[in-house]
Amino acid sequence: MNIKHISAKLNGYPHSLTSEKSSHDQQFVELLAERKKMQEQLERLALSHQAAQIESFEWNIQKNQVFSSPEEKALKEIKGKRSFKTFDAWMKTVYPLDRERVKNVLQSAIDSHAEFDCEFRVFWSDKSIHWVSSKGKVFYEKKGSPIKLLGINRNIDAQKKREQNSDFLSEASKIFSSSLDYQQTLESVANLAVPAIADWCNVDIIQNGKAQQVAIAHRNPKKAKFAKEFRKRYPIDVNEPTGIAEVLRTGEPRLYPYITDEMLVAAAKTKKQLQITRKIGLTSVMMAPIFSQKETIGVITFVTSETKKHYDQSDLQMAGELASRASSAIENARHYKEAQDAVRLRDDFISVASHELKTPVTSVKMFTQVLKKHSEKKNDRQALSYLSKMNRQLNKLTELIVDLLNVRKIQTGEMELHNALFKFEKPIKEAVEMLQQIYTKYTITVIGKSRCVIRGDKERIGQVVTNLISNAIKYSPSANEVKVYIGTKGKYARLSVKDFGIGISKEHLDKVFERFYRINDTITDKTFPGLGIGLYISYEIVRRHGGKLWVESEIGKGSTFHVAIPFEKRKRGKK
Ligand code: ADP
C-alpha cells in the first residue's frame, strides 16, 4: 500500500464511526496505526535528509510534475495538502548558467537508461545560490516509455568552497612565483580574489610607519576608485582598536562574518564616514596579516557586499594561507632586491676601480721601459732581470684590468667588434704559437683544418682561443698536453680545446660561463687564481659572432671546450 492509497482511504472515511460494523472498526484501527507508523517513518526520513543536507526529488515525466523532498510532500499529502511544480517551473530554481547542462544530463539519462550524476547550482527561496550534487535514475513502463525519474540532491556548498579556495590558492601561488615585483604581485592577487572569493579585496603594507593601500580590486571598477578615495580621506590610524590597525598590531587574523550597523557606528569617526560605509553595504569581512622577518608588515582584507556571502572559519583559514604565501613572496622579492643591489654595488666598484687602476699601471709600465733603457746602457744585468719580472707582472695586471673593463663593456653593450673577413685558422695558430712559447712544459697540438673564412673580429677570436688554451693549461696541473681540434660542421667552423686536467662536475657545466663564476671549491680556489670572467667574455665574443661556446667534461679526466662560429665562405679541397 502506498502513501496515496492510504491517504485516499483516510480522506474518504467519515470521522464518526459509531454506527459502523465492528469489522470496519477493526480495519479502521489498523489503518490508523499504519498511518501513524508511516507518518513517523516519513518524519524520520525527512529529519535525516535535513541533517545530511539531502533532498530527494521525483519527476513524474508523464504528468510533468516535480516533487522535491517527497517525504515532506507525502507528509503534507497525508494532511490533505498537495504541492508540486511543473518541470519548467522547477528548472527556474536551477542557476541559469547550469540549466542547459542539467537538461542535457537528465535527457541523456532518459535516453540511455543510465543513472545520472551531476553537480549544479540552485536558488534557495531567499535567492541565495547553492551547489548540489545530484544522483538518480529513471523508471520505465514495460513498453519502454519513461514514467518517472527519482533522485537525490546533496548540498555540496562546503566542498565547492574548499575546491574554490584551493583553486584560488594555487592560482595565487603561480602569481607569487611569477614575479619578484611584490607590489605588482599583490595587485594581481587582489584582482584574482575578486570576484572569485570577494567583492572587494584590499592590501595594505606598512610604509614609513603608515598603512599604505598598495592594492585594491573591486567587483565594480568605479567602486575601486571610490574605495581609494575613501581611504585617502579616512587613512588608517594604527592605534584604532579594531580592523586593519588591530591586525597590524596583534598579527592575528580577524573574521567578521556579519557586519552589523552597530559595528559601522562604532568604527566611524564622523557622521559622513558612517553615511558612506552604510552606503557601501558591507556583508562580511576577513583580514589576514602579512609578515616579514616575523614582523607584521601588512594586511590582506577581503570584503563581501553585493553577493551577501558570509565568510566562515574555513575562509579565514584560506585567507591566512594566502597571506603567508604573500609573505614568502615579499620576502623573496626583498632578498632578490638586496642581492641585485649587492651585485650592482660590486659592478660599480669594479668598473670604477679598473678605470682608476688603468692610468697608474700605464705610467708604471712606461717608467719600467725608461729604466730598462738606463739599465741596458749601464749593462746592469741584475736590474734588467728584475725589470723583466716586473714587466711580466705588469702585463698580467694590465690583462686583468682590460678584462674587467671588457666585462663592463659587455654589460653596457659598449663592446665593439671589428667586422672584417679573416681565416679561421689564423688567430688560432697565432694564439697557439704565443702560448707554446710561454708554457714550454706543455705540448699544444693542433689537429685538423677548416679552410674557413670568418667575418668578425680576429683579435677577439684570438682572445677566446688564448683564454681556452690558458685555462686548459691552468686547470691541468698534472698533465702536459693540450689538443686543439679545428674543423667544420654544417655551416659552422669548429674549434675544440681538449685538456686532461681536473675536469668540471655536471652541476657547474653551464654556470662556468656566468660572470664572476668560479667553482666553489676551496682547494680549486686556492690552487688556481682567477676572477671567473675569462669564459664569460669568451662566451659573449662567440655569441656576438653568431656562434656558440659550450663544454663537455668529466671530473678528474679533463674538459673539452667547443666553439662553433658560422663561416662566411670555405675553400674546397682536402681536409
Ligand atoms: P678563471 O679561470 O679566471 O677563474 P674563467 O671564466 O676562465 O675564470 O673560468 C671560470 C671557472 O671555470 C674557473 O674558475 C674554473 O673553475 C672553471 N674552468 C674553466 N676552464 C676550465 C678547465 N679547462 N678545466 C677545469 N675547470 C675549468
Side-chain angles (χ1 to χ4, degrees), residues 47 71 109 158 172 214 225 239 262 271 299 370 375 421 467 547 558-559:
L47 270 175
E71 298 70 39
V214 294
K225 209 171 147 211
N239 297 313
E262 290 79 59
K271 268 192 176 172
V299 178
V370 177
S375 308
L421 292 175
N467 179 244
S559 314

Side-chain angles (χ1 to χ4, degrees), residues 343-362:
V343 167
R344 203 170 302 123
L345 206 69
R346 178 196 69 187
D347 289 350
D348 288 349
F349 171 76
I350 287 170
S351 159
V352 171
S354 44
H355 254 108
E356 292 300 315
L357 280 169
K358 207 177 146 192
T359 323
V361 169
T362 315

Side-chain angles (χ1 to χ4, degrees), residues 128 199 280-284 304-311:
S128 54
D199 294 332
I280 295 170
L282 306 177
T283 304
S284 187
T304 60
S305 48
E306 289 93 336
T307 48
K308 305 279 173 224
K309 176 181 152 173
H310 296 279
Y311 291 124

